Amino acid sequence: MYRLTIKDILEATGGVLLCGDENTEIKDVCINSKEIKPGDLFVPIIGERVDAHRFIESALHTGAATLTSQHTDIVVSEKPFVYVSDTEKALQDIGAYVRRKFKKPVIGVTGSVGKTTTRQMIATALSGCLNVYQTEGNLNSQIGVPLTLRRIDENAEAAVLEMGISEPGQMEILSDMVKPDICVVTMIGVAHIEFMKTRENIRKEKLSIINHMSPDGVLFLNGDDALLAEVKGDTGVRTFTYGTGADCDYRAENLHMEDYQYVYDFVHGGTRVHVRLNALGRHNVGNSLVGLAIADYMGLDLEKAAAGLSEFKGLRQKLIRVPGKYTIIDDTYNASPDSMKASLDVLEDLETTGKKIAVLGDMFELGENAEQYHYEVGKYVATKKLDELVVVGDLAQHIMQGVKDSNSDINCYSFKDNGEVALYLLSVMQPEDIVLIKGSNGMHLDEVVNNMLG
């Protein structure tokens, strides 16, 4: 990380030092008083339910300094208090301050689905040739991005940063902080449509990632997404598409599956590189493809980039083989209609002599049309070569209804809680059977997985 002092914090935020030494060194920034470490600057965020200013005293038992928007006069303390009008904005100012110090390429990744996996695959592809810094965990929000920027490795030769939004106007703030040199938009779905209203609005918001891009920057769009492909010539910046379509600038050819892995040829102009992807799902071909596309754009060794992807280990989606019992596709981290359909594709593509069962739970933050989106997933389930559908949750009942209205041969079952789902699966699954378990994080479907592994 870059060395910072309170003097730097004052310069970054325009804050006022109420007490303490401006030469105090700041090792990191922390927003959780329970996680603060020696040398940390505590940033008390005012949330909907809790104002973290109440934790300043306890945070400073360990931490080195604090921001505050409530202490407006001299404070008696040996440790620095820096007054700012808005602590969240000040946190973002600190992130932007560190970003200005980092002079190497920064890749910003956004989209309705696939941000994390795409970010990880880009970092993997570039890591064969460069020292790459990337977003830690899920720090991709208005608060997470500045924490990510503060922790950027000053010795890194490139940074890949995930940028997530849920409401209009948020991408403008993130873009201003990150100022990406290369932008990636993975796809336009209906995640957070409750706040955005339409997919076109979501597209407009996601594409504002380029608003503070460097003048000679470049944008990569998923050419397999119709809403993105149609705006390629209207972005106002140099733009490339990636995907499986013949008209994509960077594309995958000869795509097929071998031993639960996708294999394809990466093609761009006269360049062709064979790729074996260590990841489930056809959708991850595109996620890996943009990693290779950026490596190619940056003039890196594509053979090394492809070799890295063959060892990729970053997926939240896990294939768990329980010897002598069954196979579980654990995709319980989160869900949207698009990611649920992609996971159903994974289940269908896997070869087995046993049954294929999909356990699907509610998807949240879909707004007033949530029931319709669940129903449409059900209609999609009906097109898949599956044996059983198990649903849990009120909204998931509409998934089951979509299957039934399609006159599908898929057997459908509904349970009231995760415990009942686990008991059912444990009673019926055989060694060759495969089950997909997926729903929004708030459904806690990881409980089903844990019971099955227990």
Side-chain angles (χ1 to χ4, degrees), residues 28 57 79 81 97 228 230 264 314 324 336 339 356 386 398:
D28 200 357
E57 184 177 354
K79 295 184 178 181
F81 275 62
Y97 181 82
L228 290 175
E230 71 182 25
Y264 66 91
S336 68
S339 68
K356 295 182 179 180
L386 308 183
H398 298 281

Side-chain angles (χ1 to χ4, degrees), residues 106-108 180-184 210 213-221 237-240 250 294 297-298:
V106 173
I107 298 106
D181 301 290
I182 298 173
C183 295
V184 177
I210 68 175
M213 187 169 66
S214 58
D216 57 346
V218 62
L219 170 65
F220 288 84
L221 299 177
V237 300
R238 189 180 183 191
T239 303
F240 296 104
Y250 294 87
I294 292 173
Y297 174 77
M298 294 177 66

Side-chain angles (χ1 to χ4, degrees), residues 76-141:
V76 179
S77 172
E78 293 181 357
K79 295 184 178 181
F81 275 62
V82 175
Y83 171 76
V84 293
S85 60
D86 183 326
T87 53
E88 183 172 328
K89 175 62 166 59
L91 175 63
Q92 294 165 355
D93 290 339
I94 293 169
Y97 181 82
V98 176
R99 169 63 182 98
R100 290 193 294 272
K101 290 176 173 290
F102 188 70
K103 305 301 182 182
K104 302 298 175 62
V106 173
I107 298 106
V109 181
T110 194
S112 299
V113 178
K115 292 184 295 296
T116 298
T117 303
T118 300
R119 178 256 299 170
Q120 292 172 331
M121 287 189 170
I122 293 170
T124 297
L126 302 186
S127 292
C129 299
L130 301 175
N131 174 15
V132 179
Y133 173 82
Q134 64 171 311
T135 298
E136 301 173 5
N138 62 349
L139 294 177
N140 65 4
S141 66

Side-chain angles (χ1 to χ4, degrees), residues 117 120-130 261 264 273-279 288 291-292 295 301-315:
T117 303
Q120 292 172 331
M121 287 189 170
I122 293 170
T124 297
L126 302 186
S127 292
C129 299
L130 301 175
Q261 294 182 333
Y264 66 91
V273 177
H274 190 63
V275 182
R276 177 179 288 274
L277 180 60
N278 185 33
S288 66
L292 292 168
D301 187 324
L302 288 178
E303 294 290 349
K304 289 183 178 179
L309 291 169
S310 70
E311 302 294 329
F312 181 75
K313 301 182 185 301
L315 287 178

Side-chain angles (χ1 to χ4, degrees), residues 379-417:
K379 301 290 281 187
Y380 191 78
V381 170
T383 68
K384 303 284 101 176
K385 295 177 182 179
L386 308 183
D387 298 285
E388 294 184 13
L389 169 70
V390 175
V391 299
V392 58
D394 295 334
L395 288 169
Q397 303 304 314
H398 298 281
I399 298 177
M400 184 168 66
Q401 192 61 50
V403 174
K404 290 181 176 180
D405 288 351
S406 300
N407 297 315
S408 170
D409 293 330
I410 298 173
N411 295 317
C412 298
Y413 304 94
S414 174
F415 296 97
K416 67 179 182 180
D417 59 43

